[in-house]
Amino acid sequence: MQSAIEGLKPEPVWRYFAEISRIPRGSKNEAAVAQYVMDTAKRLGLEAKQDASGNVLVKKPASPGRESVPSVALQGHLDMVCEKNADKDHDFMKDPIELVRKDRVLMANGTTLGADNGTGVATALAIMEDRSLVHGPLEFLFTVDEETGLTGAANLEPGFLDSRILLNLDTEEEGALYIGCSGGVDTLGTWKADYKDAPSGHVTAQLKVAGLRGGHSGLDIDKGRGNAIKILTRVLLALDALGARIASVSAGSKHNAIPREADAVVLIPKKMIDEATNTVQQLATTLRAEVATVDPDLVVSLEKVKGKRKAAVLKKGLQRKLLQTLSAMPHGVVKMSAEISGLVETSTNLAVINTTKKSISMVTSQRSSAASEIQEIAQTVASVLELGGAEIGSTHSYPGWKPNPDSAIVKLSRSTYASMYGREPLVKAVHAGLECGLLGEKYPAMDMVSIGPTLEAVHSPDEKIYIDTVEKFWNFLLAVLRNVG
């Protein structure tokens, strides 16, 4: 791991990034990395505290002569999305992330990298350490469980922060200032599983969809990438017409990730197995052509299962309702913003489907920069689920962050970047949930901007960080801290 970051600058940022990459830190498993931050603060002689939710706050005094400057909070989240390729043997509860350098990018070996938001955390730790920097009083807020619903920020202890200026370090485009984000909600559907004994005269086969890029359900929703659940559904509908029966379905694992892989165990009448095989092959060719530009590695396969066949299949009525619901379920961009060019305003993601012995569960995620449109698209999804006979639920509701291009910290950041790099930074909003929305609710006077280096394909094993952008981001952040006040 050390060789992957050897010689990279700024050295302390990459050193800390490598250190936290050794610590398992999936959402809701941040205790060890939170303790690492507390121990680092103690080693550096800095005041630190932790609230009941696990969020950590570290305070660093102003550099000499800067004591009267307004306090600034630097904020990032400790957790990461845990996704891996199907053929990768990796336990996110105990195994370190394996860092791999490829030319000008850093990636992980078959898993998510955790640069979202490991770079923000590492940057904050490096600033905590460096006593040569010029800045006013600083607070470092490390939140937990951002990726599964922003619950750390939502449950932040009242009065935890003193600062009224906040720099969020969790966006993914160097040279851009993010000043707004979408809000969102997850809409859930659950059916009581209803099985019957497997019919005789059938062949058990496994249907697989693999090779898709997936990605972040907000940032990548407009890229036209394939959704493994929607692709699987199209093939299952074709097999259903041939008399196939579904024994199990499994696809997706995160509410905020476009599903990359899916599989189903199906029982196909023996007399139809050749036609079923040909049907899947033909559909695979069609589907690959549809997504060739964005997902050239798509694989759709049907293989006979050796050994004992499945003991039960979904009853025909439930199977039909499930397939119709999946087919009718919207996925993708619903509306583009009329105010900000290129910004997705509203979207929905069909994220997870799983069958168990007792139930069938579906997870979808809706986002919008307009609260009323979140309600509308969530109602649309709920209506589809209700028509399909599912019990409806919801979770992970979070507010958006309304852009304020005239804020003092935004103006300061714009002028600082322009003076450093000879061009204006982009000023944007993001179609994703940032903790700024929740922090703005808790601290209505908080003046905020979000910045970061350039990342790609977050929430997937293709996640990468562009190495040269980290130094630019670091230098810009330090300049903003110097210029505050």
Side-chain angles (χ1 to χ4, degrees), residues 207-463:
L207 175 64
K208 286 189 174 184
V209 176
L212 295 170
R213 294 179 64 187
H216 191 289
S217 64
L219 301 178
D220 297 317
I221 201 70
D222 61 339
K223 304 295 192 300
R225 295 176 185 170
N227 179 311
I229 297 175
K230 298 297 283 187
I231 290 172
L232 184 79
T233 300
R234 288 172 65 177
V235 184
L236 285 173
L237 282 167
L239 294 177
D240 178 74
L242 300 177
R245 306 300 301 278
I246 297 174
S248 65
V249 178
S250 176
S253 60
K254 302 290 188 300
H255 75 109
N256 54 2
I258 301 168
R260 300 177 299 111
E261 298 173 337
D263 67 75
V265 175
V266 294
L267 276 69
I268 302 167
K270 285 183 179 178
K271 63 182 180 180
M272 304 300 294
I273 189 64
D274 290 340
E275 185 173 349
T277 301
N278 290 334
T279 296
V280 172
Q281 290 174 347
Q282 291 171 11
L283 262 175
T285 300
T286 299
L287 291 162
R288 281 195 296 270
E290 289 179 0
V291 298
T293 302
V294 289
D295 274 311
D297 299 322
L298 170 64
V299 175
V300 180
S301 63
L302 181 70
E303 297 182 358
K304 295 179 183 178
V305 175
K306 298 179 180 179
K308 187 178 179 181
R309 69 186 184 188
K310 279 284 182 177
V313 295
L314 295 178
K315 288 187 176 179
K316 283 186 177 180
L318 178 56
Q319 175 171 314
R320 193 63 187 165
K321 284 183 178 180
L322 178 62
L323 291 177
Q324 288 176 326
T325 303
L326 288 168
S327 180
M329 185 61 62
H331 169 82
V333 176
V334 175
K335 182 181 177 183
M336 298 297 291
S337 171
E339 288 79 27
I340 302 176
S341 177
L343 175 68
V344 177
E345 182 163 289
T346 305
S347 74
T348 183
N349 177 47
L350 174 53
V352 180
I353 178 74
N354 274 307
T355 57
T356 68
K357 291 182 179 180
K358 295 183 177 181
S359 67
I360 303 171
S361 59
M362 185 184 300
V363 179
T364 73
S365 178
Q366 292 76 52
R367 302 176 187 266
S368 183
S369 49
S372 59
E373 292 185 23
I374 296 174
Q375 295 175 359
E376 181 185 17
I377 185 58
Q379 182 58 57
T380 298
V381 170
S383 296
V384 174
L385 288 167
E386 188 173 2
L387 287 169
E391 181 178 336
I392 313 302
S394 64
T395 186
H396 296 144
S397 176
Y398 55 92
W401 168 29
K402 186 177 180 180
N404 177 16
D406 294 323
S407 90
I409 192 61
V410 171
K411 289 182 175 179
L412 175 67
S413 299
R414 288 184 69 171
S415 62
T416 298
Y417 193 92
S419 67
M420 292 179 68
Y421 297 118
R423 65 175 180 87
E424 284 283 325
L426 301 172
V427 179
K428 307 174 74 171
V430 62
H431 188 62
L434 290 173
E435 290 159 299
C436 297
L438 286 160
L439 295 172
E441 271 196 339
K442 292 180 176 293
Y443 298 90
M446 189 73 79
D447 194 8
M448 300 179 286
V449 67
S450 183
I451 57 176
T454 299
L455 312 183
E456 280 186 2
V458 298
H459 298 187
S460 83
D462 292 326
E463 180 183 3

